[in-house]
Amino acid sequence: MRASGIGVSRAYHFLENEADSRQNIGFIRKDVFKKLYKESRNMSKLKHGDANKLMEILTNKGMSDPSCFWKVKLSDDGRLQNLFFRDTRCLIDYQHFGDVLSVDATYKTNKYDFICVSLVGINHHRMNVMFGLGFLLNEKVESYEWLFSMFLQAMYHKEPSIVFSDQDMAVMNAVDSTFRHASHRLCQWHINKNAVKHFGKLNKDPCFKNQWFRYMNGCESEHEFDMTWSRMIDEHDLSENRWLF
C-alpha cells in the first residue's frame, strides 16, 4: 500500500478493519512509522553515498584481481539490499579447506545496521581462513538463501561436507534448502552458551561444569564422546533432563 502511494495512517486504518480490531494486528501505528523511517533513512544513505563508493571499490578490485567475484541484490527501486564478495585468496583456500564451512551472522554494521555474514573455514594450521563475506539488509530466509546461492556460484558449485551455524532458524532453514549434500551442525560455541540455561542447579556444581567442558572439548572420537557423555548422565542422575539426555 505504501508503494502504491497510500499514506501510513490510511493503510493502518485499513488493517484495523480487515483484522476487526487494533489488538489483532500485532503492532501499533507508531511501530510502522519507526520501521519505515529506519528503512528510508538507511536505504537513502546507501543509495546516494556509501553504496556507490562500495561499487567503485569492488569494480577496481575486479580489475586488479580477475578472479574476484562479487554480486549485489537491489530492491525494485535500485537500492542495495544484499552483497556477497570473495577474492582469489578465498577461492584458493576454499579449494583446499572447503570441506567444513562455518556461517557467522552475529555481527552488524554500526551505521546502517546491515547483517555482516562471514563464511569461514579452518586450514591445516588450525587457523581461520575467510571463504567469503556477505552483507544482508534483513535476516529473512530468502536473504540467506540468496547469499548461500551466490557463495556456491562463486565456488563453482562445490558444496562443503559440513556447515556449522548457530540456532537461528532463518540460517538453519537456508542452509538445509541451499546446501543439498552437506551435513548441518550447530556451532559448539553457541551450544555451550545455550547450555547454561538448561543446567538448572548444576550451574552451582563446579565438578559438573568441569566435566561438561572437558567432554565437549577433550573427546577425540565419537565413541569416546558417547562413553563419557553417558558417564556424566549417570553420575549426575540426568536421565530426566530431556535437553541433556
Side-chain angles (χ1 to χ4, degrees):
M1 288 187 285
R2 180 189 176 217
S4 301
I6 300 174
V8 174
S9 295
R10 287 182 58 197
Y12 190 84
H13 182 65
F14 174 80
L15 292 178
E16 284 182 318
N17 292 333
E18 288 292 303
D20 291 330
S21 74
R22 183 177 303 175
Q23 287 73 24
N24 294 333
I25 298 178
F27 52 86
I28 61 176
R29 192 174 312 188
K30 183 178 179 181
D31 296 328
V32 181
F33 280 105
K34 288 174 61 178
K35 179 173 177 61
L36 295 182
Y37 170 75
K38 182 178 180 180
E39 287 185 355
S40 63
R41 181 189 63 186
N42 288 346
M43 296 301 280
S44 62
K45 286 182 179 178
L46 283 167
K47 179 180 180 182
H48 299 297
D50 293 346
N52 291 335
K53 185 63 178 178
L54 177 60
M55 296 302 102
E56 180 183 338
I57 292 173
L58 292 174
T59 300
N60 292 335
K61 177 69 174 176
M63 295 175 64
S64 61
D65 181 0
S67 295
C68 171
F69 179 100
W70 59 275
K71 292 284 186 179
V72 297
K73 181 180 180 181
L74 304 178
S75 64
D76 293 337
D77 55 355
R79 294 174 178 175
L80 179 66
Q81 285 187 312
N82 301 331
L83 179 145
F84 170 77
F85 168 82
R86 70 115 178 99
D87 61 11
T88 301
R89 181 74 260 171
C90 294
L91 176 62
I92 294 173
D93 283 336
Y94 186 76
Q95 290 173 340
H96 288 90
F97 312 113
D99 51 334
V100 176
L101 171 67
S102 176
V103 179
D104 186 354
T106 56
Y107 299 97
K108 289 187 178 182
T109 59
N110 293 331
K111 189 172 183 180
Y112 297 127
D113 207 29
F114 266 54
I115 297 94
C116 178
V117 186
S118 57
L119 304 167
V120 183
I122 291 183
N123 66 16
H124 54 305
H125 297 296
R126 296 192 176 185
M127 298 176 62
N128 287 344
V129 287
M130 181 71 72
F131 295 149
L133 189 67
F135 290 96
L136 305 178
L137 183 62
N138 59 58
E139 299 182 87
K140 296 180 179 179
V141 176
E142 296 80 10
S143 295
Y144 286 111
E145 287 178 335
W146 178 89
L147 177 65
F148 297 151
S149 296
M150 294 303 102
F151 175 79
L152 287 176
Q153 184 178 337
M155 300 305 182
Y156 305 110
H157 299 282
K158 174 188 173 182
E159 288 196 19
S161 299
I162 297 175
V163 179
F164 284 101
S165 77
D166 62 13
Q167 291 180 278
D168 182 273
M169 288 305 301
V171 176
M172 294 171 65
N173 289 334
V175 167
D176 292 341
S177 63
T178 308
F179 298 105
R180 301 298 179 87
H181 306 291
S183 298
H184 179 222
R185 297 290 183 265
L186 297 179
C187 172
Q188 183 174 319
W189 184 88
H190 288 96
I191 292 176
N192 285 330
K193 186 177 179 180
N194 188 43
V196 295
K197 303 175 185 177
H198 303 274
F199 285 167
K201 295 184 295 184
L202 292 171
N203 275 311
K204 299 180 181 180
D205 187 341
C207 178
F208 168 78
K209 298 192 78 171
N210 287 335
Q211 285 180 309
W212 165 270
F213 288 107
R214 186 168 68 250
Y215 297 161
M216 290 294 291
N217 297 288
C219 296
E220 297 184 357
S221 68
E222 182 177 350
H223 175 72
E224 181 183 0
F225 177 84
D226 288 340
M227 293 293 293
T228 52
W229 189 268
S230 297
R231 190 182 309 132
M232 181 186 73
I233 296 294
D234 292 338
E235 287 180 6
H236 296 277
D237 193 22
L238 297 173
S239 58
E240 299 299 320
N241 188 322
R242 304 309 304 167
W243 192 85
L244 289 168
F245 185 62

